[in-house]
Every structure is written in C-alpha cells, then in structure tokens.
Amino acid sequence: AQSVAQPEDQVNVAEGNPLTVKCTYSVSGNPYLFWYVQYPNRGLQFLLKYITGDNLVKGSYGFEAEFNKSQTSFHLKKPSALVSDSALYFCAVRDGPVSGGYNKLIFGAGTRLAVHP
Amino acid sequence: EAGVAQSPRYKIIEKRQSVAFWCNPISGHATLYWYQQILGQGPKLLIQFQNNGVVDDSQLPKDRFSAERLKGVDSTLKIQPAKLEDSAVYLCASSLRTSGKGTDTQYFGPGTRLTVL
C-alpha cells in the first residue's frame, strides 16, 4: 500500500535560516508526491508536486522539494525561513491506478513548522 | 478564480443528532473529494466523485455517513446519527479530472469543523 511518513512532529528554525521538513515514501510503481501547507482554521494549500523529471521541484512561496529515489525521500526545503512560514505541513502520495486507487491522496501525519524571530 | 467553497465553517451538535455539510467545487472541476481530518492526523479520504458518480467510497462509514453530488457540481455530506468520534474537520477538494497519470492537483476548501458533544 502507498504511504508517506513524516518523522518529525515539529521543526523549529530561526528566521533567515534554511529549513527542511522531511518526508519518506513507500509506493508500488512511480511515486506522485505532493506538499501542502495548512494555516490555522484554513484548508490545505497546494505548494508543489513531483510527477516526473527534475529531482528538484520548485513551488509556491519560495519552497522547493528534492526527490531522492534511492533514499525514497521527498524533503521540503526553503533557503531562508520567514516567521509567516509557521504552519502545519503535509506530505502526500497519490494512490492509484497501479495500487488500485483513483487518484486519492494519502497524507502523512503532518509536521508543525515554527519559525522564531 | 474562485476556490472551493464550504459551509458551514463550524458546527456543534450532540451525539445521535444529524448534520450536513455543503461543498461547491471550483468551476469546471469534474472530480470532488471529501476528506476527514481528525486532530493531530493527516486528512483521510471518505468519498470521491467523478462528475456525479462515486468512484471510491471504500473508507466511508456507510452505516452513518452518506454523500451525494447531484448534477455533478455541488455536493452534500451527511452524518446520521453522529458519534463522538466524528469530531473532526471535514475538507472538500476538487480537481480538474481523474487522469490516468494522476497529475491533477487537488484544491481544498477551508473545511467544516465539527464538534460532537
């Protein structure tokens, strides 16, 4: 079955420093991977996705993610963190059609990012 | 472009009562999803529609949950009767289509926070 894991419940970083939010995946077939961000009392906002091609994917708000097939990882990164980046981040993998799903997303448990001034 | 609309934003009910949530997807999006997000967890798919047909309801507790998407646009999710463990945020998402390559991005609404007392 398709799955993703986010090993850190929370990541703390100082404003201006680089940030990394980790995600590892387990899939049958080619992985289709996504990152979403959730601010308090709001829905999920799409950041970026990896389908195929370059291993470094650029997304919204200066975020990027690095796909590493050998390590089965898809870590989210940003060169310089902002206080306004503080939020809940979710990694997700698409389920199907190889695994029998119909494009539903399977989410990790989320990582809370706290950026301190 | 207007995003996914959901109402109500908040709902408090007592156990054994019924409740309904409404979703209006992005115009032109054929696929609509309902996810349940329990506090501290990632969203989990409840049901997925392609136009007005159900393509995946494998994780929908059908003894108490029901959903419909008449005319292939708006959708309603109902819980009857509600249990304490149904307390969660119910997220609606839509995507342009369910393609074989799964490249379509899902866009989420703000969610409905349900509290069952």
Side-chain angles (χ1 to χ4, degrees), chain B residues 10-75:
Chain B
Y10 305 91
K11 190 72 176 179
I12 300 174
I13 61 173
E14 295 188 351
K15 59 183 180 183
R16 292 187 290 274
Q17 287 186 324
S18 62
V19 64
F21 312 127
W22 174 83
C23 172
N24 182 242
I26 293 173
S27 178
H29 280 196
T31 310
L32 185 147
Y33 313 78
W34 282 102
Y35 288 85
Q36 180 192 55
Q37 184 180 16
I38 294 173
L39 185 64
Q41 300 180 18
K44 181 187 76 173
L45 182 76
L46 292 175
I47 189 167
Q48 177 181 341
F49 294 92
Q50 176 77 4
N51 295 310
N52 61 350
V54 176
V55 295
D56 187 350
D57 63 356
S58 57
Q59 297 191 84
L60 186 74
K62 298 180 185 65
D63 58 336
R64 298 183 299 106
F65 286 65
S66 64
E68 60 182 10
R69 191 185 183 197
L70 300 176
K71 301 181 181 179
V73 181
D74 294 7
S75 178

Side-chain angles (χ1 to χ4, degrees), chain A residues 2 18 37 51 55 88 90 92 96 98:
Chain A
Q2 319 285 65
V37 59
I51 304 298
N55 290 339
L88 192 55
F90 289 96
V98 172

Side-chain angles (χ1 to χ4, degrees), chain A residues 36 43-46 103-105 107, chain B residues 3-6 22-26 29-36 43-51 69 73-75 77 90-98 104-112:
Chain A
Y36 283 83
L44 277 70
Q45 295 180 32
F46 170 73
N103 200 43
K104 73 181 180 188
L105 293 177
F107 287 87
Chain B
V4 177
Q6 290 187 248
W22 174 83
C23 172
N24 182 242
I26 293 173
H29 280 196
T31 310
L32 185 147
Y33 313 78
W34 282 102
Y35 288 85
Q36 180 192 55
K44 181 187 76 173
L45 182 76
L46 292 175
I47 189 167
Q48 177 181 341
F49 294 92
Q50 176 77 4
N51 295 310
R69 191 185 183 197
V73 181
D74 294 7
S75 178
L77 177 69
Y90 291 84
L91 295 164
C92 180
S94 69
S95 65
L96 195 58
R97 62 190 180 279
T98 304
D104 283 344
T105 298
Q106 294 181 29
Y107 296 94
F108 286 78
T112 297

Side-chain angles (χ1 to χ4, degrees), chain A:
Chain A
Q2 319 285 65
S3 66
V4 292
Q6 296 181 243
E8 302 157 316
D9 290 336
Q10 179 154 334
V11 170
N12 296 296
V13 64
E15 188 175 29
N17 283 0
L19 69 87
T20 299
V21 183
K22 296 179 180 178
C23 173
T24 59
Y25 65 88
S26 175
V27 302
S28 52
N30 293 322
Y32 298 134
L33 298 160
F34 301 77
W35 275 103
Y36 283 83
V37 59
Q38 187 174 38
Y39 296 98
N41 299 316
R42 297 176 66 177
L44 277 70
Q45 295 180 32
F46 170 73
L47 283 178
L48 50 80
K49 65 183 177 184
Y50 172 82
I51 304 298
T52 186
D54 290 342
N55 290 339
L56 187 64
V57 179
K58 294 191 181 298
S60 305
Y61 313 120
F63 284 92
E64 57 190 26
E66 186 173 10
F67 173 72
N68 188 315
K69 188 173 182 178
S70 62
Q71 297 186 5
T72 62
S73 67
F74 188 56
H75 299 333
L76 182 70
K77 300 182 178 185
K78 189 174 183 182
S80 179
L82 300 172
V83 173
S84 57
D85 292 330
S86 298
L88 192 55
Y89 290 80
F90 289 96
C91 180
V93 63
R94 195 205 75 158
D95 187 20
V98 172
S99 56
Y102 293 93
N103 200 43
K104 73 181 180 188
L105 293 177
I106 297 179
F107 287 87
T111 298
R112 187 164 300 280
L113 174 67
V115 182
H116 305 285

